[in-house]
Every structure is written in C-alpha cells, then in structure tokens.
Amino acid sequence: VQLVESGGGLVQPGGSLRLSCTGSVFPAEDDYIIGWFRQAPGKEREGVSCVSRHDGGYYYLDSAKGRFSISADYAHNIVVLQMKGLKPEDTAVYYCAAARRSFCTQDRSFYNYWGQGTQVTVSS
C-alpha cells in the first residue's frame, strides 16, 4: 500500500494550489475513506478534509470551509484537494491518509496508511 502526494509548493496569500493523492490502497469493492491532514511546525497534525467511498460523505476543517474542495476519482485512485484563498496559516506539510471504514473521521488514529507529505508554504 502506497500513497503519494503531489502539488505542494510556494504560493502567495490568496493564491491556489491543487494537491493530489495517488496510489492503490484497497480493492475497488471495499469501503474506505481518504483524508487530508496537515502539520505545521510545533503543532499537532490536524484533519483538513476527508471523502468517503462508501457514501460520498465528506468533511472540512472549519477554517477550510468555503476555500478547500475535495474530490475523488476512484477509477484512477486519485483524490484531489483543491485549495483557494490560501492564507499564511495554511502553511504546513500536507499528508493524505487512508482507512478501511465507511464514514469520514478527523481522528488520525483511525488511519492506517499515510503518504510522505508535501510542503505547502503561503507567503509573500
């Protein structure tokens, strides 16, 4: 099982980035969730967004609502986090993670599979 993130980089405040998570995680018939987390220096890793293959359910961190959008292409094993209106406080290493469960959760302890992360820096 391998998850690979891409799309991070340096962007000015107000800018946009598109993060992608690719990889074969579970058989197509399984229920699973894919989550995006982030960790800023000196802070705990927090759940940013999640999408459920079971029912298409999702969640967003309050500070991400209205700015971030998650989408999934299960046929190609890609989950995308589109980020707009980026702020300096969004600066962090962003990770995608997967778990064999039906419904989304922000609790990182449920996630068994993690990518290596991609750096997002929002700065002028």
Short mmCIF file of all heavy atoms in Angstrom, two decimals, residues 3-58:
data_model
loop_
_atom_site.label_atom_id
_atom_site.label_comp_id
_atom_site.label_asym_id
_atom_site.label_seq_id
_atom_site.Cartn_x
_atom_site.Cartn_y
_atom_site.Cartn_z
N LEU A 3 0.79 5.58 -0.71
CA LEU A 3 0.12 6.83 -1.04
C LEU A 3 1.18 7.86 -1.36
O LEU A 3 2.17 7.98 -0.64
CB LEU A 3 -0.73 7.31 0.13
CG LEU A 3 -1.88 6.39 0.57
CD1 LEU A 3 -2.52 6.91 1.84
CD2 LEU A 3 -2.91 6.26 -0.54
N VAL A 4 0.97 8.62 -2.42
CA VAL A 4 1.93 9.62 -2.84
C VAL A 4 1.20 10.94 -3.05
O VAL A 4 0.25 11.01 -3.84
CB VAL A 4 2.65 9.21 -4.13
CG1 VAL A 4 3.64 10.29 -4.55
CG2 VAL A 4 3.37 7.88 -3.94
N GLU A 5 1.66 11.97 -2.35
CA GLU A 5 1.10 13.29 -2.52
C GLU A 5 1.94 14.09 -3.52
O GLU A 5 3.15 13.90 -3.62
CB GLU A 5 1.07 14.07 -1.20
CG GLU A 5 0.35 13.38 -0.06
CD GLU A 5 1.28 12.57 0.82
OE1 GLU A 5 2.39 12.20 0.34
OE2 GLU A 5 0.92 12.30 1.98
N SER A 6 1.28 15.01 -4.19
CA SER A 6 1.99 15.93 -5.08
C SER A 6 1.20 17.23 -5.15
O SER A 6 0.02 17.28 -4.76
CB SER A 6 2.16 15.34 -6.48
OG SER A 6 0.90 15.09 -7.07
N GLY A 7 1.87 18.27 -5.64
CA GLY A 7 1.17 19.54 -5.87
C GLY A 7 1.48 20.64 -4.90
O GLY A 7 1.00 21.76 -5.05
N GLY A 8 2.28 20.35 -3.88
CA GLY A 8 2.63 21.39 -2.93
C GLY A 8 3.58 22.41 -3.55
O GLY A 8 4.04 22.24 -4.67
N GLY A 9 3.83 23.48 -2.80
CA GLY A 9 4.74 24.49 -3.28
C GLY A 9 4.59 25.79 -2.53
O GLY A 9 3.93 25.84 -1.49
N LEU A 10 5.21 26.81 -3.09
CA LEU A 10 5.15 28.16 -2.50
C LEU A 10 4.12 28.99 -3.26
O LEU A 10 4.16 29.04 -4.49
CB LEU A 10 6.53 28.82 -2.59
CG LEU A 10 6.63 30.30 -2.19
CD1 LEU A 10 6.29 30.45 -0.71
CD2 LEU A 10 8.01 30.83 -2.50
N VAL A 11 3.24 29.63 -2.53
CA VAL A 11 2.19 30.44 -3.16
C VAL A 11 1.96 31.69 -2.32
O VAL A 11 2.16 31.67 -1.10
CB VAL A 11 0.89 29.62 -3.31
CG1 VAL A 11 0.33 29.23 -1.95
CG2 VAL A 11 -0.13 30.34 -4.15
N GLN A 12 1.58 32.76 -2.96
CA GLN A 12 1.29 33.99 -2.25
C GLN A 12 -0.08 33.93 -1.58
O GLN A 12 -0.96 33.17 -2.02
CB GLN A 12 1.33 35.17 -3.23
CG GLN A 12 2.71 35.46 -3.77
CD GLN A 12 2.74 36.72 -4.61
OE1 GLN A 12 1.70 37.21 -5.08
NE2 GLN A 12 3.93 37.28 -4.80
N PRO A 13 -0.27 34.70 -0.52
CA PRO A 13 -1.60 34.75 0.11
C PRO A 13 -2.68 35.06 -0.92
O PRO A 13 -2.49 35.93 -1.79
CB PRO A 13 -1.45 35.87 1.13
CG PRO A 13 0.01 35.86 1.49
CD PRO A 13 0.72 35.53 0.20
N GLY A 14 -3.78 34.34 -0.82
CA GLY A 14 -4.85 34.48 -1.78
C GLY A 14 -4.75 33.56 -2.97
O GLY A 14 -5.69 33.46 -3.77
N GLY A 15 -3.62 32.90 -3.10
CA GLY A 15 -3.40 32.01 -4.23
C GLY A 15 -4.06 30.65 -4.06
O GLY A 15 -4.75 30.38 -3.08
N SER A 16 -3.81 29.78 -5.05
CA SER A 16 -4.43 28.46 -5.08
C SER A 16 -3.38 27.38 -5.30
O SER A 16 -2.34 27.63 -5.93
CB SER A 16 -5.45 28.39 -6.22
OG SER A 16 -6.47 29.34 -6.06
N LEU A 17 -3.68 26.21 -4.79
CA LEU A 17 -2.89 25.02 -5.06
C LEU A 17 -3.81 23.82 -5.17
O LEU A 17 -4.89 23.79 -4.56
CB LEU A 17 -1.88 24.75 -3.94
CG LEU A 17 -0.61 25.58 -3.90
CD1 LEU A 17 0.20 25.25 -2.64
CD2 LEU A 17 0.24 25.37 -5.14
N ARG A 18 -3.37 22.86 -5.95
CA ARG A 18 -4.12 21.63 -6.14
C ARG A 18 -3.25 20.47 -5.70
O ARG A 18 -2.25 20.16 -6.36
CB ARG A 18 -4.53 21.49 -7.61
CG ARG A 18 -5.38 20.29 -7.94
CD ARG A 18 -5.76 20.33 -9.43
NE ARG A 18 -6.62 19.23 -9.83
CZ ARG A 18 -6.19 18.07 -10.28
NH1 ARG A 18 -4.90 17.84 -10.37
NH2 ARG A 18 -7.05 17.13 -10.63
N LEU A 19 -3.63 19.84 -4.60
CA LEU A 19 -2.89 18.70 -4.10
C LEU A 19 -3.53 17.41 -4.59
O LEU A 19 -4.76 17.29 -4.59
CB LEU A 19 -2.87 18.69 -2.58
CG LEU A 19 -2.33 19.94 -1.88
CD1 LEU A 19 -2.29 19.70 -0.37
CD2 LEU A 19 -0.95 20.31 -2.40
N SER A 20 -2.69 16.47 -5.00
CA SER A 20 -3.19 15.17 -5.45
C SER A 20 -2.63 14.06 -4.58
O SER A 20 -1.47 14.12 -4.16
CB SER A 20 -2.80 14.93 -6.91
OG SER A 20 -3.42 15.85 -7.77
N CYS A 21 -3.45 13.06 -4.36
CA CYS A 21 -3.04 11.87 -3.63
C CYS A 21 -3.31 10.69 -4.54
O CYS A 21 -4.46 10.47 -4.95
CB CYS A 21 -3.81 11.75 -2.33
SG CYS A 21 -3.51 10.23 -1.40
N THR A 22 -2.29 9.94 -4.88
CA THR A 22 -2.46 8.80 -5.76
C THR A 22 -1.94 7.53 -5.10
O THR A 22 -1.09 7.57 -4.22
CB THR A 22 -1.72 9.00 -7.09
OG1 THR A 22 -0.32 9.16 -6.83
CG2 THR A 22 -2.23 10.24 -7.80
N GLY A 23 -2.47 6.41 -5.56
CA GLY A 23 -1.99 5.14 -5.02
C GLY A 23 -3.08 4.10 -4.94
O GLY A 23 -4.25 4.44 -4.83
N SER A 24 -2.70 2.88 -4.98
CA SER A 24 -3.63 1.77 -4.81
C SER A 24 -3.69 1.42 -3.34
O SER A 24 -2.67 1.09 -2.74
CB SER A 24 -3.16 0.56 -5.62
OG SER A 24 -3.17 0.87 -6.99
N VAL A 25 -4.86 1.57 -2.78
CA VAL A 25 -5.00 1.35 -1.34
C VAL A 25 -5.79 0.10 -1.04
O VAL A 25 -5.31 -0.83 -0.39
CB VAL A 25 -5.65 2.57 -0.67
CG1 VAL A 25 -5.78 2.35 0.82
CG2 VAL A 25 -4.85 3.82 -0.96
N PHE A 26 -7.01 0.04 -1.50
CA PHE A 26 -7.89 -1.08 -1.20
C PHE A 26 -8.53 -1.58 -2.48
O PHE A 26 -8.61 -0.86 -3.46
CB PHE A 26 -8.99 -0.64 -0.23
CG PHE A 26 -8.48 -0.13 1.08
CD1 PHE A 26 -8.72 1.18 1.44
CD2 PHE A 26 -7.76 -0.94 1.93
CE1 PHE A 26 -8.25 1.67 2.64
CE2 PHE A 26 -7.28 -0.46 3.13
CZ PHE A 26 -7.54 0.84 3.49
N PRO A 27 -9.02 -2.82 -2.45
CA PRO A 27 -9.76 -3.31 -3.60
C PRO A 27 -10.95 -2.41 -3.89
O PRO A 27 -11.51 -1.79 -3.00
CB PRO A 27 -10.21 -4.71 -3.17
CG PRO A 27 -9.25 -5.12 -2.13
CD PRO A 27 -8.87 -3.87 -1.40
N ALA A 28 -11.32 -2.37 -5.15
CA ALA A 28 -12.36 -1.45 -5.57
C ALA A 28 -13.68 -1.67 -4.83
O ALA A 28 -14.47 -0.75 -4.66
CB ALA A 28 -12.57 -1.56 -7.07
N GLU A 29 -13.92 -2.89 -4.38
CA GLU A 29 -15.21 -3.16 -3.74
C GLU A 29 -15.25 -2.79 -2.27
O GLU A 29 -16.29 -2.84 -1.63
CB GLU A 29 -15.56 -4.65 -3.89
CG GLU A 29 -14.60 -5.60 -3.20
CD GLU A 29 -13.46 -6.04 -4.10
OE1 GLU A 29 -13.19 -5.33 -5.09
OE2 GLU A 29 -12.84 -7.07 -3.81
N ASP A 30 -14.11 -2.40 -1.71
CA ASP A 30 -14.07 -2.08 -0.29
C ASP A 30 -14.54 -0.66 0.00
O ASP A 30 -14.41 0.23 -0.83
CB ASP A 30 -12.63 -2.22 0.24
CG ASP A 30 -12.28 -3.66 0.50
OD1 ASP A 30 -13.10 -4.54 0.20
OD2 ASP A 30 -11.17 -3.90 1.02
N ASP A 31 -15.07 -0.50 1.18
CA ASP A 31 -15.36 0.84 1.68
C ASP A 31 -14.11 1.41 2.33
O ASP A 31 -13.46 0.72 3.12
CB ASP A 31 -16.50 0.81 2.71
CG ASP A 31 -17.85 0.63 2.06
OD1 ASP A 31 -17.97 0.89 0.85
OD2 ASP A 31 -18.79 0.23 2.77
N TYR A 32 -13.79 2.63 2.02
CA TYR A 32 -12.66 3.25 2.68
C TYR A 32 -12.81 4.76 2.60
O TYR A 32 -13.65 5.29 1.85
CB TYR A 32 -11.32 2.81 2.07
CG TYR A 32 -11.19 3.03 0.58
CD1 TYR A 32 -10.67 4.22 0.08
CD2 TYR A 32 -11.53 2.03 -0.32
CE1 TYR A 32 -10.53 4.42 -1.27
CE2 TYR A 32 -11.40 2.22 -1.68
CZ TYR A 32 -10.89 3.41 -2.16
OH TYR A 32 -10.76 3.60 -3.50
N ILE A 33 -12.03 5.41 3.39
CA ILE A 33 -12.02 6.86 3.40
C ILE A 33 -10.61 7.35 3.08
O ILE A 33 -9.62 6.68 3.39
CB ILE A 33 -12.47 7.44 4.76
CG1 ILE A 33 -11.57 6.95 5.90
CG2 ILE A 33 -13.93 7.10 5.02
CD1 ILE A 33 -11.88 7.60 7.24
N ILE A 34 -10.52 8.47 2.44
CA ILE A 34 -9.25 9.14 2.17
C ILE A 34 -9.31 10.51 2.83
O ILE A 34 -10.24 11.28 2.59
CB ILE A 34 -8.99 9.31 0.67
CG1 ILE A 34 -9.00 7.95 -0.05
CG2 ILE A 34 -7.66 10.03 0.45
CD1 ILE A 34 -7.86 7.04 0.31
N GLY A 35 -8.34 10.78 3.64
CA GLY A 35 -8.30 12.04 4.35
C GLY A 35 -7.07 12.85 4.01
O GLY A 35 -6.04 12.30 3.60
N TRP A 36 -7.19 14.16 4.15
CA TRP A 36 -6.05 15.06 4.05
C TRP A 36 -5.81 15.66 5.44
O TRP A 36 -6.74 16.17 6.07
CB TRP A 36 -6.32 16.19 3.05
CG TRP A 36 -6.15 15.79 1.63
CD1 TRP A 36 -7.12 15.40 0.75
CD2 TRP A 36 -4.91 15.72 0.91
NE1 TRP A 36 -6.58 15.11 -0.46
CE2 TRP A 36 -5.22 15.30 -0.41
CE3 TRP A 36 -3.58 15.98 1.24
CZ2 TRP A 36 -4.23 15.12 -1.38
CZ3 TRP A 36 -2.61 15.82 0.27
CH2 TRP A 36 -2.94 15.40 -1.02
N PHE A 37 -4.56 15.59 5.86
CA PHE A 37 -4.16 16.17 7.14
C PHE A 37 -3.03 17.16 6.88
O PHE A 37 -2.42 17.15 5.83
CB PHE A 37 -3.64 15.07 8.07
CG PHE A 37 -4.72 14.15 8.58
CD1 PHE A 37 -5.23 13.15 7.76
CD2 PHE A 37 -5.21 14.28 9.86
CE1 PHE A 37 -6.23 12.31 8.22
CE2 PHE A 37 -6.20 13.44 10.33
CZ PHE A 37 -6.71 12.44 9.50
N ARG A 38 -2.77 17.99 7.86
CA ARG A 38 -1.64 18.89 7.75
C ARG A 38 -0.98 19.06 9.11
O ARG A 38 -1.62 18.93 10.14
CB ARG A 38 -2.06 20.25 7.20
CG ARG A 38 -2.95 21.07 8.12
CD ARG A 38 -3.41 22.34 7.40
NE ARG A 38 -4.24 23.17 8.28
CZ ARG A 38 -4.89 24.25 7.86
NH1 ARG A 38 -4.81 24.63 6.57
NH2 ARG A 38 -5.62 24.96 8.71
N GLN A 39 0.30 19.36 9.05
CA GLN A 39 1.04 19.58 10.28
C GLN A 39 2.00 20.74 10.09
O GLN A 39 2.89 20.69 9.25
CB GLN A 39 1.81 18.32 10.68
CG GLN A 39 2.47 18.42 12.04
CD GLN A 39 2.90 17.08 12.57
OE1 GLN A 39 3.06 16.10 11.83
NE2 GLN A 39 3.09 16.98 13.88
N ALA A 40 1.76 21.77 10.87
CA ALA A 40 2.62 22.94 10.87
C ALA A 40 3.71 22.75 11.93
O ALA A 40 3.51 21.99 12.89
CB ALA A 40 1.81 24.20 11.14
N PRO A 41 4.83 23.43 11.79
CA PRO A 41 5.91 23.29 12.78
C PRO A 41 5.41 23.59 14.20
O PRO A 41 4.76 24.60 14.44
CB PRO A 41 6.93 24.33 12.33
CG PRO A 41 6.71 24.46 10.87
CD PRO A 41 5.22 24.31 10.68
N GLY A 42 5.71 22.67 15.11
CA GLY A 42 5.34 22.87 16.50
C GLY A 42 3.89 22.61 16.82
O GLY A 42 3.45 22.83 17.96
N LYS A 43 3.13 22.15 15.83
CA LYS A 43 1.71 21.90 16.06
C LYS A 43 1.36 20.44 15.79
O LYS A 43 2.11 19.74 15.11
CB LYS A 43 0.86 22.81 15.17
CG LYS A 43 0.99 24.28 15.50
CD LYS A 43 0.01 25.11 14.71
CE LYS A 43 0.08 26.58 15.10
NZ LYS A 43 -0.90 27.39 14.34
N GLU A 44 0.23 20.02 16.31
CA GLU A 44 -0.22 18.66 16.06
C GLU A 44 -0.80 18.53 14.65
O GLU A 44 -1.27 19.51 14.07
CB GLU A 44 -1.27 18.26 17.10
CG GLU A 44 -0.72 18.10 18.51
CD GLU A 44 -1.63 17.27 19.40
OE1 GLU A 44 -2.71 16.87 18.94
OE2 GLU A 44 -1.22 17.03 20.54
N ARG A 45 -0.75 17.31 14.16
CA ARG A 45 -1.35 17.04 12.86
C ARG A 45 -2.87 17.14 12.99
O ARG A 45 -3.46 16.57 13.90
CB ARG A 45 -0.93 15.65 12.38
CG ARG A 45 -1.22 15.38 10.93
CD ARG A 45 -0.57 14.08 10.48
NE ARG A 45 0.89 14.13 10.59
CZ ARG A 45 1.69 13.19 10.10
NH1 ARG A 45 1.19 12.15 9.48
NH2 ARG A 45 2.99 13.29 10.26
N GLU A 46 -3.49 17.86 12.06
CA GLU A 46 -4.93 18.04 12.11
C GLU A 46 -5.59 17.61 10.81
O GLU A 46 -5.00 17.75 9.72
CB GLU A 46 -5.29 19.49 12.42
CG GLU A 46 -4.84 20.50 11.38
CD GLU A 46 -5.24 21.93 11.71
OE1 GLU A 46 -5.94 22.15 12.72
OE2 GLU A 46 -4.84 22.84 10.95
N GLY A 47 -6.80 17.13 10.93
CA GLY A 47 -7.56 16.72 9.76
C GLY A 47 -8.12 17.92 9.03
O GLY A 47 -8.78 18.76 9.64
N VAL A 48 -7.87 17.99 7.75
CA VAL A 48 -8.32 19.11 6.92
C VAL A 48 -9.58 18.75 6.15
O VAL A 48 -10.53 19.53 6.08
CB VAL A 48 -7.21 19.53 5.94
CG1 VAL A 48 -7.70 20.62 5.00
CG2 VAL A 48 -5.97 19.98 6.70
N SER A 49 -9.60 17.54 5.58
CA SER A 49 -10.73 17.13 4.78
C SER A 49 -10.72 15.62 4.63
O SER A 49 -9.69 14.96 4.87
CB SER A 49 -10.68 17.80 3.40
OG SER A 49 -11.85 17.52 2.65
N CYS A 50 -11.85 15.08 4.23
CA CYS A 50 -11.97 13.64 4.06
C CYS A 50 -13.09 13.35 3.08
O CYS A 50 -14.06 14.12 2.99
CB CYS A 50 -12.26 12.98 5.41
SG CYS A 50 -12.68 11.23 5.33
N VAL A 51 -12.95 12.26 2.35
CA VAL A 51 -14.03 11.81 1.47
C VAL A 51 -14.24 10.32 1.69
O VAL A 51 -13.27 9.57 1.85
CB VAL A 51 -13.73 12.15 0.00
CG1 VAL A 51 -12.49 11.43 -0.50
CG2 VAL A 51 -14.93 11.85 -0.88
N SER A 52 -15.47 9.91 1.66
CA SER A 52 -15.82 8.51 1.88
C SER A 52 -16.24 7.85 0.57
O SER A 52 -17.11 8.37 -0.15
CB SER A 52 -16.98 8.41 2.87
OG SER A 52 -17.59 7.14 2.81
N ARG A 53 -15.62 6.70 0.29
CA ARG A 53 -16.02 5.94 -0.88
C ARG A 53 -17.38 5.27 -0.68
O ARG A 53 -18.07 4.97 -1.63
CB ARG A 53 -14.99 4.87 -1.21
CG ARG A 53 -15.17 4.28 -2.59
CD ARG A 53 -14.20 3.16 -2.87
NE ARG A 53 -14.19 2.80 -4.27
CZ ARG A 53 -15.16 2.15 -4.90
NH1 ARG A 53 -16.25 1.79 -4.24
NH2 ARG A 53 -15.05 1.86 -6.18
N HIS A 54 -17.75 5.08 0.56
CA HIS A 54 -19.00 4.38 0.89
C HIS A 54 -20.22 5.18 0.46
O HIS A 54 -21.11 4.67 -0.22
CB HIS A 54 -19.04 4.11 2.40
CG HIS A 54 -20.34 3.54 2.87
ND1 HIS A 54 -20.75 2.26 2.55
CD2 HIS A 54 -21.32 4.07 3.64
CE1 HIS A 54 -21.93 2.04 3.10
NE2 HIS A 54 -22.30 3.11 3.77
N ASP A 55 -20.27 6.45 0.88
CA ASP A 55 -21.48 7.22 0.61
C ASP A 55 -21.20 8.59 0.03
O ASP A 55 -22.11 9.41 -0.10
CB ASP A 55 -22.30 7.37 1.89
CG ASP A 55 -21.56 8.16 2.97
OD1 ASP A 55 -20.37 8.48 2.78
OD2 ASP A 55 -22.20 8.47 4.00
N GLY A 56 -19.93 8.82 -0.30
CA GLY A 56 -19.59 10.13 -0.85
C GLY A 56 -19.56 11.23 0.18
O GLY A 56 -19.40 12.41 -0.15
N GLY A 57 -19.71 10.86 1.46
CA GLY A 57 -19.68 11.86 2.51
C GLY A 57 -18.32 12.52 2.64
O GLY A 57 -17.32 11.96 2.18
N TYR A 58 -18.28 13.66 3.25
CA TYR A 58 -17.03 14.39 3.39
C TYR A 58 -17.10 15.32 4.59
O TYR A 58 -18.18 15.57 5.15
CB TYR A 58 -16.71 15.20 2.13
CG TYR A 58 -17.83 16.13 1.71
CD1 TYR A 58 -17.92 17.41 2.23
CD2 TYR A 58 -18.81 15.71 0.81
CE1 TYR A 58 -18.95 18.25 1.87
CE2 TYR A 58 -19.84 16.55 0.44
CZ TYR A 58 -19.90 17.82 0.97
OH TYR A 58 -20.92 18.65 0.61
#
